[in-house]
Amino acid sequence: NIKWINAIVLITMAILTIFAISPWNAWRGEPTSHGYGWNRFSYFTVQSNFIATATYIIAAWAIVSRKQLGTWFRYLRGAAVLYMIVTGAVYALLLQHTEVNPNPGHFNWNNFILHQCGPFFITVWWLLWPSKLPITSRESFLWLIFPILWTIYTFIRASFTHWYPYPFLDPDQAGGIYGVSLYIIVIAIGFLILSQLLAWISRARANDHTLY
């Protein structure tokens, strides 16, 4: 019964996340709005939440079908946890009072799901139902590939569109290239520290009582 409840909760969280992203509304509204068109899908927040959603759906399918997932899933799940924690931390520290938050000081359902509820939920789920096999410190470096590729993509795209998903990546708002570089270095250090911490926790919490 607990496993079925787990599956239902995971599917519910996946649905809430998709509705918070609202990909079907990307090309509605003013073309000059910050999240119009492909801009919406270029946020690290949105991409990390898509990864988390895929993780929820795959885990729920494994529970319902009683299928053992391969060792690849622990990497995907660990990556989703890392990216969502960083998403929540960056939002709390750097983005609450920027254009990413359209109504500062007021409750915004989309921001709550994507930046607060999502990171909290996936972390608690990962801690309560840890993976069968641990992640080594060396293996955790694989989680850093996606953030590096996203950063490269963001600056290549910005060279054509002159649009940056976050103010701290925009040289005009972050104090020039040196300011942007400082933000990137600090966030990269945060990624590195958190990846090692999550790998250590995975080794301490690994057990044989889950399907993944």
Side-chain angles (χ1 to χ4, degrees):
N1 290 334
I2 292 177
K3 289 183 177 180
W4 272 96
I5 293 173
N6 190 358
I8 293 171
V9 170
L10 290 172
I11 291 297
T12 301
M13 192 61 200
I15 294 172
L16 288 175
T17 303
I18 293 298
F19 271 90
I21 295 172
S22 299
W24 48 83
N25 290 328
W27 280 270
R28 296 180 180 177
E30 293 294 328
T32 56
S33 62
H34 203 62
Y36 182 82
W38 290 111
N39 291 351
R40 178 170 305 201
F41 303 99
S42 296
Y43 288 103
F44 186 84
T45 294
V46 170
Q47 295 185 18
S48 62
N49 272 276
F50 272 134
I51 294 172
T53 299
T55 305
Y56 303 147
I57 294 172
I58 294 170
W61 172 82
I63 293 170
V64 172
S65 62
R66 298 183 180 180
K67 298 289 186 180
Q68 293 283 345
L69 293 174
T71 57
W72 59 271
F73 185 73
R74 63 190 168 114
Y75 295 107
L76 175 65
R77 191 175 179 225
V81 174
L82 174 62
Y83 305 156
M84 291 295 286
I85 290 176
V86 172
T87 292
V90 171
Y91 177 78
L93 296 174
L94 300 176
L95 299 175
Q96 287 197 70
H97 304 290
T98 68
E99 61 267 23
V100 175
N101 184 4
N103 298 301
H106 297 83
F107 178 79
N108 182 279
W109 184 82
N110 291 351
N111 274 330
F112 172 71
I113 294 295
L114 300 179
H115 296 106
Q116 297 168 317
C117 179
F120 176 78
F121 174 84
I122 198 169
T123 303
V124 171
W125 171 53
W126 183 72
L127 290 172
L128 291 179
W129 283 275
S131 296
K132 296 172 68 72
L133 298 174
I135 301 290
T136 67
S137 295
R138 180 179 298 180
E139 290 169 340
S140 69
F141 286 114
L142 293 172
W143 294 336
L144 305 181
I145 295 175
F146 172 70
I148 292 172
L149 293 177
W150 177 85
T151 304
I152 295 171
Y153 157 79
T154 296
F155 284 108
I156 291 176
R157 186 171 186 268
S159 67
F160 294 99
T161 64
H162 306 291
W163 178 87
Y164 297 87
Y166 304 111
F168 57 82
L169 296 178
D170 186 348
D172 293 335
Q173 299 187 58
I177 190 65
Y178 295 106
V180 172
S181 299
L182 180 60
Y183 278 114
I184 291 175
I185 290 171
V186 171
I187 294 174
I189 292 173
F191 264 109
L192 185 60
I193 293 173
L194 281 171
S195 66
Q196 294 302 307
L197 176 62
L198 292 178
W200 178 80
I201 293 174
S202 79
R203 294 194 294 274
R205 295 279 295 154
N207 66 71
D208 293 325
H209 303 298
T210 62
L211 295 168
Y212 36 74

